[in-house]
Amino acid sequence: MKQFKQSLLAAALVLAASGAQAQSYPTKPIVLVNPYAAGGPADLVARSLAKELGTELGQQVVVENKAGGGATIGAAYVARAEADGYTLLFGTAAAHIVTPLIQPTPYDGIKDFTFIALAANQPNLLVVNPSVKANTAKELIELARSNPGKLNYGSSGTGTSPHLGGELIKQQAKIDMAHIPYGGAAPAITDLVAGRLQVGVMNLSGELPFVKAGKLRALAYASKTRSPLLPDVPTFAEAGLGGAESASWYTVAAPKGTPAAVVNKLNAALNAVARKAEYRKLMEAQGTELATLSPEETTRFVVDDAQRTKDLIKSANLKLE
């Protein structure tokens, strides 16, 4: 009985300490690690989110770019960080799911993290350099079939949404294109605009300015509905690529073991940001969809996507490039 009372007392002390930590948290700046290069679509969302999150929490949130390794460099850094809520990961499917499945990583993409919230979802856009003689997705498919392996498409890295999006198109259309991985979306888009790449299946937000300027040609939007930003561009289903839809999602995650009270406080702040009218307007203008999920719902979202992704990785025989 005495031992039972001591256990209850110990548990009560832990809860009290956790509650006190949540009330005082944060007492110093928070680092949000972006595992991609500066200037890309992920960076644009991360920096906008960090600014608003800092306002909600009353502390500065600083974005640090730790690109490379298919998003594993930044993810590994956060997985090893102290679980106190001051080092967070702007997580993606590549960091948490894809890369750990196709190459050895120093962390488990799901078990070594505590998922806090779903920050954004960005459908991809199929584009080509204007030099490519294809004005529609159908014409691109015909061009690729008559030139197997000669067209190349770029991505922000092996295992990223643009990479998987390209593989889905290859499977759906039964074509062969070469994959060229980069250390982020920004350098891939730079080469796409310069003509060193022919095809891109990257986030609408990164490609949109170049489509508007006539430096890239949009062929199809990888979502179930057309984008209000490009109402004349057909969806994948309308373009004959139904089933190849893809998108990049972004979560905010912390190292495993971060106190629940801190996680809940961060979740409340992140969802408050997502509900802000001006922030929503800013994100929607970049082709970004927002959601307000609980930590449990966010974890379930990631786990479910991991299961779907495993099948694609197996069928496409994806390996480290």
Side-chain angles (χ1 to χ4, degrees):
M1 188 67 170
K2 181 179 179 181
Q3 186 176 4
F4 178 70
K5 289 181 178 179
Q6 289 176 336
S7 297
L8 286 177
L9 177 61
L13 290 173
V14 169
L15 288 173
S18 178
Q21 183 177 3
Q23 288 178 0
S24 60
Y25 173 87
T27 59
K28 61 181 180 180
I30 297 168
V31 174
L32 179 62
V33 175
N34 174 16
Y36 294 105
D43 203 48
L44 295 174
V45 179
R47 292 183 185 279
S48 297
L49 178 65
K51 180 181 177 181
E52 296 295 335
L53 182 59
T55 300
E56 284 294 318
L57 294 172
Q59 279 287 352
Q60 184 180 17
V61 178
V62 180
V63 175
E64 285 191 7
N65 297 88
K66 294 184 180 296
T72 63
I73 292 176
Y77 176 84
V78 175
R80 294 191 299 264
E82 188 172 351
D84 56 5
Y86 289 99
T87 305
L88 308 175
L89 178 67
F90 194 60
T92 63
H96 291 296
I97 300 171
V98 184
T99 309
L101 286 173
I102 62 178
Q103 70 179 69
T105 56
Y107 63 89
D108 185 293
I110 294 178
K111 294 180 180 179
D112 288 342
F113 295 90
T114 297
F115 294 95
I116 300 170
L118 181 63
N121 189 60
Q122 293 185 328
N124 291 324
L125 179 69
L126 173 63
V127 300
V128 293
N129 181 276
S131 64
V132 177
K133 295 180 179 180
N135 292 307
T136 65
K138 182 179 179 181
E139 290 178 357
L140 176 64
I141 291 169
E142 291 173 350
L143 181 63
R145 283 176 179 167
S146 61
N147 296 276
K150 293 185 179 180
L151 291 179
N152 55 47
Y153 76 96
S155 79
S156 46
T158 299
T160 60
S161 170
H163 179 199
L164 297 183
E167 292 300 319
L168 280 169
I169 290 175
K170 287 167 60 177
Q171 287 189 6
Q172 185 73 12
K174 295 180 174 58
I175 59 175
D176 180 22
M177 295 189 297
H179 172 231
I180 311 296
Y182 287 76
I189 292 175
T190 296
D191 274 6
L192 184 57
V193 171
R196 289 184 284 271
L197 293 174
Q198 288 86 50
V199 184
V201 197
M202 289 175 273
N203 295 153
L204 180 150
S205 60
E207 297 174 332
L208 183 62
F210 301 99
V211 171
K212 294 286 189 182
K215 296 180 179 180
L216 293 176
R217 183 184 302 132
L219 303 185
Y221 186 51
S223 185
K224 299 296 184 183
T225 58
R226 293 193 182 197
S227 169
L229 302 176
L230 293 171
D232 295 330
V233 176
T235 65
F236 267 36
E238 292 170 335
L241 288 169
E245 291 85 1
S246 61
S248 294
W249 51 255
Y250 303 107
T251 61
V252 175
K256 178 183 177 181
T258 300
V262 171
V263 170
N264 290 334
K265 187 167 186 176
L266 283 167
N267 176 264
L270 286 162
N271 285 342
V273 170
R275 294 187 186 99
K276 288 185 176 181
E278 286 302 313
Y279 181 75
R280 294 188 72 87
K281 183 178 180 180
L282 174 65
M283 289 297 102
E284 288 167 1
Q286 299 176 22
T288 301
E289 302 169 352
L290 301 177
T292 53
L293 303 184
S294 67
E296 294 76 19
E297 290 170 333
T298 304
T299 301
R300 193 156 51 247
F301 172 88
V302 175
V303 171
D304 288 348
D305 193 55
Q307 189 59 48
R308 288 190 296 268
T309 304
K310 285 180 182 179
D311 293 335
L312 174 60
I313 289 174
K314 183 178 180 179
S315 61
N317 193 28
L318 299 187
K319 298 177 182 178
L320 177 64
E321 298 180 38

